[in-house]
Amino acid sequence: MNEVYNLEYNTERPKLFIPEYGRHFQKMVDHAVAIEDREERNKVANSIISVMGNLQPHLRDVPDFQHKLWDQLFIMADFKLDVDSPFPITSKEVLQQRPEPLEYPQNHPKYRFYGNNIKRMIDVAVKWEEGDMRSGLEYAIANHMKKCYLVWNKDTVEDSVIFNHLKELSDGKIDLAKRDESLTDSGQFLKNKPSRSNTNRGKKGQRGRKKRY
């Protein structure tokens, strides 16, 4: 009966700094911290690092792998382990610093159905020198714009509409209307466009089927 009353529950145990290593490993680190002799403490600390490396053999080829292990050792020791580290000891304050918040792009394009990548492609195209390479890129951009337009809007669109949008998005630097260009026919783009009626029929058919076991 005494053994039952002496059971330890995780809720009553000290918190693990790095749970991945487990409770016994944490006890090894705590033992190293409690050693009074510095030379013996250094030996134990290096032994612990060796065991940590053996637990993660897939990380041996990762740059600064040993440095990472020593950082983890000091974290598990709550930075109370006084040993000779082969690497600069990162302070507790530095590790607890919050990273700077990321700035998310706040793009609000006028024609959202084209997407932001189209504007980036246009910005690249206007920086190229005049020639066949730039003309080919501009034509490819216009064709992709037409495809995007048909996916999100109507089943047909005049090339002049695409040319006007391209001219507007390029600040007047790309004007395909002057070249008397003709884009790919709308029917070619619509071949791969899924029909809404067919999609709805498929869903209704699936609902009507009974699952067989």
Side-chain angles (χ1 to χ4, degrees), residues 117-134:
N117 287 334
I118 283 291
K119 186 63 174 70
R120 296 190 184 99
M121 294 168 64
I122 293 173
D123 293 339
V124 171
V126 297
K127 295 178 182 178
W128 286 14
E129 295 182 1
E130 295 286 348
D132 294 339
M133 290 285 292
R134 174 169 170 171

Side-chain angles (χ1 to χ4, degrees), residues 195-209:
S195 174
R196 293 183 179 179
S197 58
N198 291 338
T199 304
N200 294 332
R201 289 176 185 173
K203 290 181 179 180
K204 291 179 180 178
Q206 292 177 0
R207 292 171 183 172
R209 296 173 186 170

Side-chain angles (χ1 to χ4, degrees), residues 3-17 19 21-27 30:
E3 294 180 358
V4 175
Y5 287 112
N6 291 331
L7 286 176
E8 290 183 340
Y9 294 93
N10 285 333
T11 54
E12 299 174 349
R13 292 175 174 177
K15 180 181 178 181
L16 294 176
F17 292 98
Y21 284 105
R23 179 72 57 182
H24 294 293
F25 212 96
Q26 182 64 52
K27 289 182 178 180
D30 295 339

Side-chain angles (χ1 to χ4, degrees), residues 50-63 65-66:
S50 298
V51 177
M52 292 170 68
N54 292 333
L55 293 176
Q56 305 182 65
H58 60 287
L59 295 177
R60 289 186 181 276
D61 298 330
V62 176
F65 173 59
Q66 288 291 323

Side-chain angles (χ1 to χ4, degrees), residues 176-190:
L176 297 184
K178 294 181 179 179
R179 306 178 194 174
D180 194 24
E181 297 273 7
S182 296
L183 301 177
T184 303
D185 186 75
S186 300
Q188 295 295 323
F189 293 128
L190 295 173

Side-chain angles (χ1 to χ4, degrees), residues 46-138:
N46 282 280
S47 299
I48 293 174
I49 291 294
S50 298
V51 177
M52 292 170 68
N54 292 333
L55 293 176
Q56 305 182 65
H58 60 287
L59 295 177
R60 289 186 181 276
D61 298 330
V62 176
D64 296 331
F65 173 59
Q66 288 291 323
H67 194 176
K68 179 180 179 181
L69 292 182
W70 279 95
D71 283 343
Q72 291 179 341
L73 175 60
F74 287 115
I75 291 173
M76 286 188 288
D78 197 21
F79 298 91
K80 298 176 182 178
L81 182 63
D82 184 16
V83 292
D84 299 325
S85 171
F87 304 98
I89 301 175
T90 307
S91 65
K92 185 176 183 179
E93 291 73 22
V94 171
L95 288 176
Q96 291 179 344
Q97 285 181 355
R98 295 176 65 101
E100 294 294 331
L102 293 175
E103 294 183 2
Y104 290 91
Q106 301 295 329
N107 295 327
H108 302 286
K110 182 177 180 180
Y111 306 108
R112 295 192 176 186
F113 43 84
Y114 291 136
N116 291 323
N117 287 334
I118 283 291
K119 186 63 174 70
R120 296 190 184 99
M121 294 168 64
I122 293 173
D123 293 339
V124 171
V126 297
K127 295 178 182 178
W128 286 14
E129 295 182 1
E130 295 286 348
D132 294 339
M133 290 285 292
R134 174 169 170 171
S135 298
L137 178 58
E138 292 172 349

